[in-house]
Amino acid sequence: MSDIFPDPRYDKLIGLIYQGPLEERPWQSALPVLRDMLDSQVASLVLRPPSDQDKGVILNSVRPKPGDSGDTLADPEDWQSASYREEFFSLDPFVNLPPDKVVALEDMLPDKELINADYYRHYLEPVELFRILGVDTEEPGGMLARLRFSRRREEPRFSASERRLLELITPHLRRAIQIYATLNRTTSERDVYAGAVAQLAVAS
């Protein structure tokens, strides 16, 4: 592996991926490192797709503008996350990818077709994004994670080595998502039991 990725950040990245479920804002440390290693404008992790009943969980790390300080996750209520969740998720052609397979948007939709698509004209173009690389993975309990990296139109396509990097981290992400899902299920079950005990105490 080291002959393919001599980047010393790789080992640190794997540690941050497993640290993600324990952070106050999940994967707040890993996403900026991932975004930087794949030289992308935005790194996004969708843990729960939006629906009519649920606004979902969408985490974004945006490349800082020159002069900006800090490198934290974007506000989940910023324009990009909110508009995608509320308006454009249904138009997104880049969903339901084959599990654990790294795919680029141009693999599915050639550039000429993309620029004529409503999804590009109404969502990607206003935020100056064009190229997307992504992977979907699912933990045994059913939680689906969608990891996406986006670049501007004038930037190059994602390379074979960048695709390979995403392939290598996908099994680690799947295990970390399993940890995150298990912790959340345990918390939910504990809250249910606590509520039941409280009701019994009142009844007594």
Side-chain angles (χ1 to χ4, degrees):
M1 211 289 295
S2 60
D3 59 334
I4 302 175
F5 293 110
D7 195 322
R9 294 173 296 178
Y10 180 79
D11 289 339
K12 176 185 176 182
L13 171 62
I14 297 303
L16 293 177
I17 288 175
Y18 285 108
Q19 178 182 315
L22 304 176
E23 294 182 304
E24 182 177 355
R25 299 185 69 185
W27 289 280
Q28 66 181 18
S29 300
L31 274 179
V33 175
L34 273 167
R35 188 205 68 236
D36 188 45
M37 290 182 70
L38 275 88
D39 193 21
S40 55
Q41 179 69 22
V42 183
S44 301
L45 180 61
V46 180
L47 292 177
R48 213 167 56 237
S51 67
D52 292 338
Q53 295 79 33
D54 185 354
K55 68 179 184 178
V57 176
I58 303 175
L59 308 169
N60 286 324
S61 173
V62 182
R63 179 185 292 157
K65 295 179 182 179
D68 283 357
S69 59
D71 200 357
T72 59
L73 298 188
D75 185 344
E77 299 304 321
D78 67 10
W79 182 88
Q80 185 172 349
S81 295
S83 61
Y84 178 80
R85 179 174 63 235
E86 296 166 6
E87 302 177 50
F88 301 116
F89 179 76
S90 60
L91 299 175
D92 191 348
F94 203 52
V95 295
N96 300 322
L97 304 181
D100 301 327
K101 181 177 180 180
V102 174
V103 181
L105 182 56
E106 64 261 23
D107 298 339
M108 304 169 56
L109 196 66
D111 291 357
K112 290 183 179 179
E113 293 183 26
L114 175 61
I115 60 176
N116 293 315
D118 287 342
Y119 178 67
Y120 171 70
R121 289 187 286 108
H122 295 297
Y123 180 69
L124 292 181
E125 189 173 26
V127 291
E128 302 180 20
L129 299 179
F130 190 79
R131 308 202 178 279
I132 304 177
L133 185 71
V135 66
D136 289 358
T137 190
E138 184 175 2
E139 56 91 25
M143 178 176 280
L144 176 68
R146 295 170 174 168
L147 185 58
R148 302 289 185 268
F149 300 90
S150 305
R151 286 178 176 170
R152 300 190 185 281
R153 188 172 181 178
E154 66 271 15
E155 294 178 307
R157 296 171 184 246
F158 289 93
S159 67
S161 62
E162 288 166 335
R163 291 183 183 228
R164 177 61 178 150
L165 171 59
L166 194 48
E167 289 174 353
L168 287 170
I169 68 169
T170 295
H172 298 286
L173 177 64
R174 183 172 61 252
R175 296 186 193 106
I177 294 295
Q178 184 177 4
I179 295 170
Y180 176 79
T182 300
L183 290 173
N184 277 270
R185 292 181 193 121
T186 300
T187 300
S188 298
E189 291 172 359
R190 183 187 62 201
D191 291 344
V192 169
Y193 294 144
V197 170
Q199 289 178 352
L200 286 172
V202 170
S204 298

